[in-house]
Amino acid sequence: VRFRVLRNLGGMRMALSDLDGAIRDLDAAAELDTPEYRPSASERAIARRIAALALIQAGRLDEAGTRLVDAEEVLRGDQDSPE
């Protein structure tokens, strides 16, 4: 549930042009790792890609590139990922 809340908050903040808040929430969603729950590789990659979009909107292209590389690495590391 926490992952979904953070991801949705990030999307809402993006829609409201609160790009720093969106990036913070989306990064927190991607890095979520608790004893009860860890997002799948696909979920983490989605959060990273959405954060990259927020960074592109903010003109922070180098940081966006880093998020996209992170998303790709997450997916490459999970052979069971459908992506």
Side-chain angles (χ1 to χ4, degrees):
V1 173
R2 186 171 180 191
F3 173 83
R4 190 172 297 135
V5 169
L6 287 167
R7 195 188 74 178
N8 288 335
L9 276 173
M12 291 300 294
R13 288 179 191 269
M14 222 172 117
L16 296 169
S17 296
D18 177 8
L19 300 178
D20 288 332
I23 294 160
R24 183 183 59 245
D25 290 342
L26 292 162
D27 283 347
E31 296 167 8
L32 187 64
D33 189 6
T34 67
E36 297 84 29
Y37 180 76
R38 178 169 184 184
S40 70
S42 293
E43 290 172 323
R44 292 190 316 267
I46 287 168
R48 291 288 188 209
R49 290 191 300 243
I50 298 169
L53 289 173
L55 287 161
I56 290 167
Q57 282 184 309
R60 295 159 53 185
L61 302 181
D62 289 339
E63 291 176 73
T66 300
R67 295 306 190 296
L68 292 173
V69 168
D70 289 346
E72 183 180 13
E73 288 176 2
V74 165
L75 292 173
R76 284 186 192 273
D78 184 8
Q79 299 303 318
D80 295 330
S81 175
E83 293 189 52

